[in-house]
Amino acid sequence: MDLHVLDALARGGFEQLVAISDRRSGLRGFLAIHDTTAGPAFGGIRRWSYRAENEALRDVLRLGRAMTHKCVLLGLEAGGAKLVALDHADVDWRAAYRHIGEVVEGMAGRYYTGPDVGTGSEELAWIAETTQYVTRPDDRGPGQLAESTAEGVFAAIAASLRHLDGEEDWSRRTVVVQGLGAVGSLLAERLCGVGATVVAADVDAQRASEVAARLDIRLVDASAELDVPCDVFAPCALGGILHDLSVPRLACRVVAGAANNVLAKPIHGDALHARGVLYAPDFVVNSGALLRGAAFHLEGRREPVERIGERIGLTLEELLTSAEAEGRPPARFAFDEAEARLARRRSAP
Ligand code: NAI
């Protein structure tokens, strides 16, 4: 399907799209700045093997806008952006990330970049060679990003359970964690710490068994986790995992996890709602690292991880209560609420 770029930018309310092509490193990518009304735009770098340029373009627009939604719902004086880099074998990645740093530096503080899928500590260190506007992976950065995200997910699970049952009652709860990476393993540990039963799966069998042995949790084969009866399903691997085939398999009451864009399409949030499953919107649940990074860059301080959890829990609680009062699926409600708040922000004198 054709994508009309200027129409897509106008429809989504974007400020700017930068197409990046660097002959020296072989880098090709896009930077989308969605909103800087209240402050600089934040958003990490996704390096991914996109099948086509259009796919990368759609992704950068979707992810950049979602970053603004996170900022607006959390009341941050900041907006959203995203950078995507098309992954292929011919790229000199060190040179590519240094070039990305130059592009970011050229934005003169309008855009702060950071980690995302495919961009970790090593890549961030390369970017930091050419720009100051990056979330550094060393002790000169905010630190504890995965911890902040995991604590936010934990608080979101707690808020969802309180919303349904008036209490967390951890010792009675089973949480299924999909993906035992940086965030999933910390989340599993946090849940074990309060006495919840944790069941987990990861496609990386070695990683899964290491974490399972350390935390003494039960593992199931990757993909079987969708069928495990539980209170909470916590997707902490990839996005797009809830679709026509997977939604009917879920045997949980709550979905709340770290992955971005868990719903393949908005209708899958409606399908969960129709089945009586509470879907905690991913762009609220997983905003812990953003909160930590924004406090560091905007205010020069490291927001304590517990405060991050409290803030995400409270924000989610308010959204769930309002969505319920209107009888609407939480994901739809949160999206519309973010857009309404953004419109108010933009029209303020
Ligand atoms: P990670 O790369 O450390 O961990 C992901 C884990 O999921 C890996 O162990 C991988 O083997 C596993 N996995 C991949 N596909 C799977 C599948 N189909 N089934 C089961 N396991 C699978 O990533 P990280 O940092 O833990 O992030 C997890 C998710 O949360 C990602 O989608 C990320 O975009 C999102 N996120 C992470 C944030 C952070 O602070 N790290 C912030 C906001 C969102």
Side-chain angles (χ1 to χ4, degrees):
M1 203 165 63
D2 283 348
L3 181 67
H4 295 279
V5 176
L6 292 174
D7 285 348
L9 293 183
R11 247 196 335 271
F14 284 83
E15 291 180 7
Q16 192 178 9
L17 176 74
V18 180
I20 304 168
S21 171
D22 179 37
R23 206 168 6 90
R24 223 158 18 100
S25 63
L27 169 72
R28 303 196 320 149
F30 295 107
L31 163 63
I33 308 271
H34 183 253
D35 186 77
T36 57
T37 313
F42 285 83
I45 300 168
R46 180 160 296 195
R47 176 177 14 155
W48 191 254
S49 311
Y50 292 102
R51 277 165 303 185
E53 196 175 314
N54 258 359
E55 196 189 339
L57 196 44
R58 275 181 224 285
D59 214 27
V60 80
L61 297 181
R62 193 171 49 105
L63 293 165
R65 194 178 184 190
M67 287 302 293
T68 298
H69 288 169
K70 291 186 193 200
C71 293
V72 170
L73 289 177
L74 288 157
L76 287 174
E77 304 278 296
K82 202 79 188 183
L83 199 153
V84 300
L86 283 74
D87 200 1
H88 57 92
D90 307 331
V91 182
D92 171 351
W93 281 108
R94 177 164 186 181
Y97 276 100
R98 283 178 58 88
H99 181 77
I100 287 174
E102 285 163 11
V103 172
V104 174
E105 187 66 19
M107 291 278 159
R110 235 179 116 226
Y111 167 53
Y112 282 83
T113 197
D116 195 76
V117 176
T119 303
S121 299
E122 187 176 32
E123 292 81 8
L124 292 172
W126 292 335
I127 299 168
E129 292 172 11
T130 50
T131 185
Q132 58 190 303
Y133 305 110
V134 59
T135 297
R136 300 183 69 108
D138 52 29
D139 55 9
R140 283 185 285 165
Q144 294 201 308
L145 294 178
E147 287 81 354
S148 303
T149 303
E151 186 63 22
V153 178
F154 175 78
I157 291 174
S160 303
L161 292 172
R162 285 197 303 274
H163 181 78
L164 289 180
D165 301 334
E167 59 179 353
E168 289 128 3
D169 202 2
W170 292 115
S171 60
R172 202 162 62 76
R173 308 293 188 179
T174 299
V175 181
V176 171
V177 179
Q178 181 188 52
L180 287 171
V183 177
S185 58
L186 287 165
L187 174 66
E189 190 170 351
R190 185 76 168 89
L191 290 162
C192 290
V194 292
T197 302
V198 176
V199 179
D202 195 299
V203 286
D204 181 338
Q206 192 185 340
R207 182 169 181 91
S209 48
E210 273 165 24
V211 178
R214 182 167 58 82
L215 300 178
D216 193 20
I217 56 175
R218 181 161 76 91
L219 283 182
V220 292
D221 290 342
S223 169
E225 73 275 16
L226 287 168
D227 308 307
V228 176
C230 59
D231 297 283
V232 182
F233 176 71
C236 299
L238 301 175
I241 55 133
L242 294 185
H243 45 68
D244 291 349
L245 299 178
S246 54
V247 166
R249 286 173 58 187
L250 287 179
C252 60
R253 298 171 66 214
V254 173
V255 175
N260 282 304
N261 303 311
V262 173
L263 303 171
K265 293 185 187 150
I267 50 161
H268 299 112
D270 304 343
L272 288 171
H273 189 65
R275 291 192 58 206
V277 177
L278 188 161
Y279 179 77
D282 49 69
F283 53 93
V284 179
V285 176
N286 69 13
S287 51
L290 169 66
L291 279 170
R292 178 92 176 178
F296 182 79
H297 290 300
L298 298 176
E299 299 166 34
R301 63 190 179 82
R302 294 185 173 88
E303 181 81 326
V305 168
E306 313 77 60
R307 292 275 314 281
I308 288 172
E310 281 163 24
R311 190 152 165 195
I312 290 174
L314 277 176
T315 303
L316 181 63
E317 225 164 286
E318 278 171 25
L319 285 170
L320 293 178
T321 305
S322 305
E324 188 175 43
E326 293 190 14
R328 299 186 59 205
R332 295 264 186 201
F333 180 86
F335 182 93
D336 290 349
E337 181 64 19
E339 283 290 305
R341 288 190 201 178
L342 178 60
R344 285 201 291 278
R345 217 181 227 199
R346 285 177 166 174
S347 62

